[in-house]
Amino acid sequence: GIVCPHFYVLAHANGCPYACDYCYLRLTLRHYPEPTVFTNTARMFQELRDWLLSLEEPAALNAGELSDSLAWDRETGLTRNLVPLFETQKKHKLLLLTKSVNIGNLLELDPTPQVIVSFSVNAPEVSRKYERGAPPVEARLSAAKRLRDAGWDVRLRLDPALPVTGWKDQYGEVIDRINEVNPS
């Protein structure tokens, strides 16, 4: 009964530095004790250019399926190379799914409707308990608001909803904060 949208995956890394207890990557990539950030970027970007030209139907490329899209962006400059590829065409979208607050490179670029930045958030108590190493929810919401104010297409996903004491109030408060960001 679950319907997921079809998207393609950009594997720029495997694994995530945040170690969230509920994350499917912990089991999926259990044979790799540490995240791996790939360095063969010249090949990756050439394959991406070919991909953008080869698809006839509009498609979405998810850069946050096998790793956090922005966790290493400060070091790798991934978005500095990805965003310009997508802004030069109007057919395909890039999805940057993240819990990171590493938005500096994005703020230096012009926003484009071809790029969606989607922040994963949760109730603060759930985050403190189950999202060890991830930036605090308030920091993620602040980063999302900064990008939204700069003109980026920002989305927020409340995922997963976990039962904790006072969950209705806690999730209600984070939903109010999400509404303050005014995501698209």
Side-chain angles (χ1 to χ4, degrees), residues 2-16:
I2 297 174
V3 178
C4 293
H6 179 71
F7 56 81
Y8 292 85
V9 174
L10 177 67
H12 62 93
N14 278 340
C16 180

Side-chain angles (χ1 to χ4, degrees), residues 75-147:
E75 295 80 16
T76 65
L78 180 69
T79 57
R80 278 193 228 122
N81 294 298
L82 278 178
V83 170
L85 287 175
F86 278 83
E87 74 182 349
T88 60
Q89 53 80 51
K90 301 293 181 216
K91 190 188 308 182
H92 308 298
K93 301 264 186 177
L94 172 65
L95 174 62
L96 300 171
L97 179 57
T98 191
K99 282 189 178 115
S100 177
V101 295
N102 295 333
I103 61 170
N105 289 337
L106 288 172
L107 289 172
E108 291 175 6
L109 296 167
D110 290 331
T112 171
Q114 300 313 115
V115 176
I116 302 162
V117 186
S118 182
F119 289 84
S120 179
V121 296
N122 216 311
E125 181 184 329
V126 170
S127 180
R128 280 190 297 277
K129 190 172 183 178
Y130 299 109
E131 298 176 346
R132 293 181 316 277
V137 172
E138 192 56 42
R140 287 180 248 168
L141 291 167
S142 177
K145 179 128 177 53
R146 286 183 65 201
L147 285 177

